[in-house]
């Protein structure tokens, strides 16, 4: 067993030496932590462009649903500005104030268009579009109207249009619809085309009228056949007439009426010329008879000879007329009266 005196010596441990400048070191650590926090905050502010020179752009919209401070405004997919403030103007319009860095401001022109799109998936997006980059740059503090496009607002219209479309489809495909009747008519026409009379039965609408049309066509074909036969006979008759009258295609030895008639007319002209000459002689003799009344005996002799010439000419004419009547019977009886 140990004594109480030995226990008191064992519990009494030697004390550690105190830390020098403990308060100063603690203060230095706190200042270091504060510096780190300030530096981090400054870096974050620098990274967010707090210290960067910007220009203000005010977009006017009907509402600010989905828009929040710090939201980016993009151009061609790149962020060129942030929403700094959202105000409600006295006219009920929403003014969205956007800070655009100076180095990105050259993308905005006086002809630029700004849109605010609200999709079914994702948040609201503010976009800038500049079609002509040669236009003057957008000034600081410019106020522009924003074009809003809300897809969710179009859903009721789309649903209504779809409902109307389905109703129209139902009316078109119904059993009593015009389309169904048209298909029935097409089926009927197809059956008639495949029937006995084909297209004729389809056009006429019933079998009786179609049969009448077919019979009429057959009769027309028969009439055309008869007409062809008649035409052949007429051609044969015309050829015979040409051969008999004009001598075209006549066999050797066959006489032609027109050429013979021409020859006969020539002979008649010759005989009539001779008769004319005889009559001229008669006129001359009669003139001589009137002038020379004393020479009656000679005039009578000349008249007797002239009468003989005239009778001879008339006989030739009578013979020629008889010849003509034999070849071309203009009259049944020919009579030549002598003077």
């Amino acid at each position: 067993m140990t004594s109480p005196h030995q226990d008191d010596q064992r519990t009494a441990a030697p004390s550690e030496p105190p830390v020098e400048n403990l308060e100063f070191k603690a203060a230095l650590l706190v200042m270091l932590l504060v510096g780190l926090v300030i530096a981090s905050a400054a870096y974050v502010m620098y990274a967010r462009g707090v210290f960067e020179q910007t220009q203000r752009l005010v977009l006017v919209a009907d509402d600010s649903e989905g828009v929040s401070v710090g939201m980016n405004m993009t151009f061609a997919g790149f962020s060129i500005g942030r929403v700094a403030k959202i105000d409600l103007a006295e006219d009920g319009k929403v003014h969205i104030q956007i800070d655009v860095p100076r180095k990105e401001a050259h993308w905005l022109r006086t002809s630029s268009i700004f849109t605010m799109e609200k999709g079914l998936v994702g948040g609201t997006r503010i976009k800038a579009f500049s079609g002509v980059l040669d236009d003057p740059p957008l000034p600081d503090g410019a106020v522009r109207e924003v074009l809003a496009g809300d897809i969710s607002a179009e859903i009721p219209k789309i649903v209504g249009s779809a409902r109307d479309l389905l109703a129209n489809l139902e009316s078109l495909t119904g059993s009593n619809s015009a389309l169904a009747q048209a298909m029935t008519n097409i089926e009927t026409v197809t059956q008639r085309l495949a029937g006995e009379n084909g297209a004729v039965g389809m056009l006429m609408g019933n079998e009786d009228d179609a049969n009448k049309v077919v019979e009429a066509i057959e009769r027309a074909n028969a009439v055309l056949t008869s007409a062809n036969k008649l035409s052949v006979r007429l051609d044969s008759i015309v050829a015979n007439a040409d051969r008999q009258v004009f001598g075209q295609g006549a066999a050797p030895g066959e006489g032609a009426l027109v050429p013979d008639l021409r020859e006969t007319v020539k002979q008649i002209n010759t005989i009539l010329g001779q008769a004319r000459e005889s009559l001229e002689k008669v006129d001359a003799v009669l003139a001589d008879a009137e002038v020379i009344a004393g020479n009656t005996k000679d005039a009578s002799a000349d008249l007797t000879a002239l009468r003989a010439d005239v009778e001879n000419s008339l006989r030739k004419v009578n013979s020629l007329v008889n010849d003509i009547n034999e070849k071309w019977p203009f009259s049944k009886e020919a009579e030549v009266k002598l003077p």
Side-chain angles (χ1 to χ4, degrees), residues 285-305:
V285 171
L286 291 177
D288 292 339
E290 291 178 356
V291 175
I292 305 172
N295 198 3
T296 306
K297 185 177 179 179
D298 294 336
S300 299
D302 292 335
L303 287 174
T304 302

Side-chain angles (χ1 to χ4, degrees), residues 156-200:
K157 296 181 181 179
I158 295 174
V159 172
S161 299
R163 186 182 297 110
D164 295 338
L165 179 60
L166 291 175
N168 293 332
L169 288 176
E170 184 177 359
S171 63
L172 285 175
T173 57
S175 59
N176 296 327
S177 62
L179 181 60
Q181 295 178 0
M183 295 301 295
T184 303
N185 294 333
I186 292 174
E187 184 178 1
T188 303
V189 171
T190 305
Q191 292 177 356
R192 290 180 179 176
L193 282 174
E196 180 180 358
N197 295 320
V200 176

